[in-house]
């Protein structure tokens, strides 16, 4: 894993973008109910791997209908830019799909902005709402920013679908919480968790 330079966008630019882009979905994200106790949580996000040379996130979803995933080591932070090396916490470097799931703690109300840098496809859902996607084969690039309006602080279900077809792999998730100005930064590890029972 490597750390990346924060993405720098001023508040005026971000506000204009969110106004023009609008929400990916009009639905409100739903927090986990009931909220988990601290003792029920383990660090990072759970991950299941699927091994095939996907070309689109929809192919990964279809694959999941008839193939169980192989559990991998939890992913502590979505901060992977590894080049031609093992994909995420898997043991292979090509032909990997992943369903990454768990919880994200959103402690402020207001509009969060998210973007992902990926190679290849990625789709992000939080609280049952599609936040962003860049679903096909591509070199390293940032997705369009996705806004998420949060009205209730707490733990929210998060699901990331991702695949790497061949050659290099990248998966980084950035955010700008409400009231923060200047830059989008990697979503910190401490806001991710998964239920110990998963």
């Amino acid at each position: 894993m490597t750390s990346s330079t924060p993405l720098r966008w001023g508040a005026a630019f971000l506000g204009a973008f969110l106004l023009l882009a609008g929400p990916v979905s009009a639905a409100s994200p739903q927090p986990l109910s009931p909220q988990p106790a601290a003792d029920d949580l383990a660090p990072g996000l759970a991950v299941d791997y699927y091994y095939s040379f996907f070309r689109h996130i929809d192919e990964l979803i279809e694959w999941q209908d008839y193939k169980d995933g192989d559990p991998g080591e939890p992913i502590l932070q979505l901060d992977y830019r590894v080049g031609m090396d093992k994909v995420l916490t898997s043991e292979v470097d090509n032909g990997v799909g992943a369903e990454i799931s768990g919880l994200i703690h959103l402690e402020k109300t207001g509009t969060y902005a998210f973007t992902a840098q990926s190679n290849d496809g990625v789709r992000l859902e939080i609280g049952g709402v599609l936040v962003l996607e860049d679903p096909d084969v591509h070199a390293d690039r940032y997705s369009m920013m996705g806004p998420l309006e949060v009205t209730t602080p707490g733990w929210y279900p998060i699901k990331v679908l991702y695949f790497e077809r061949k050659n290099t792999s990248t998966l980084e998730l950035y955010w700008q919480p409400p009231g923060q100005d200047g830059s989008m930064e990697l979503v910190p590890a401490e806001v991710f968790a998964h239920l110990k029972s998963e």
Side-chain angles (χ1 to χ4, degrees):
M1 288 190 295
T2 60
S3 294
S4 299
T5 304
L7 301 176
R8 303 205 174 273
W9 281 299
F13 175 86
L14 181 61
F17 177 86
L18 295 178
L19 181 64
L20 291 171
V24 175
S25 170
S28 297
Q30 298 300 307
L32 187 66
S33 182
Q35 288 284 289
D39 290 347
D40 295 333
L41 299 176
L45 301 173
V47 59
D48 287 320
Y49 291 109
Y50 302 84
Y51 299 107
S52 184
F53 286 84
F54 304 106
R55 292 185 178 276
H56 195 280
I57 285 292
D58 289 343
E59 293 180 7
L60 171 57
I61 294 170
E62 291 170 3
W63 188 271
Q64 290 177 309
D65 287 340
Y66 63 90
K67 182 78 172 177
D68 291 333
D70 295 329
E73 289 296 315
I75 292 174
L76 299 180
Q77 186 179 22
L78 295 172
D79 181 18
Y80 289 85
R81 193 173 185 186
V82 299
M84 299 178 70
D85 203 345
K86 293 177 181 176
V87 178
L88 306 177
T89 61
S90 76
E91 293 300 318
V92 300
D93 59 5
N94 281 308
V96 180
E99 180 177 312
I100 304 161
S101 61
L103 301 169
I104 183 170
H105 194 260
L106 304 176
E107 67 176 16
K108 298 180 179 180
T109 59
T111 302
Y112 287 75
F114 290 88
T115 188
Q117 181 172 212
S118 67
N119 176 351
D120 289 292
V122 64
R123 177 179 292 170
L124 169 66
E125 297 176 9
I126 296 176
V129 171
L130 176 62
V131 178
L132 62 84
E133 66 176 348
D134 191 358
D136 55 10
V137 175
H138 54 261
D140 285 20
R141 70 185 181 200
Y142 290 97
S143 68
M144 293 288 288
M145 281 188 288
L148 185 72
E149 185 68 29
V150 173
T151 59
T152 304
W155 289 102
Y156 283 76
I158 182 172
K159 181 169 75 170
V160 179
L161 294 176
Y162 167 74
F163 73 89
E164 186 272 347
R165 183 171 172 79
K166 57 184 179 178
N167 299 323
T168 61
S169 66
T170 295
L171 180 59
E172 298 172 325
L173 183 62
Y174 295 83
W175 73 353
Q176 189 173 72
Q180 180 175 309
D181 190 18
S183 63
M184 297 188 78
E185 298 179 346
L186 286 164
V187 180
E190 57 265 25
V191 303
F192 292 127
H194 63 281
L195 296 172
K196 291 178 180 176
S197 58
E198 293 181 346

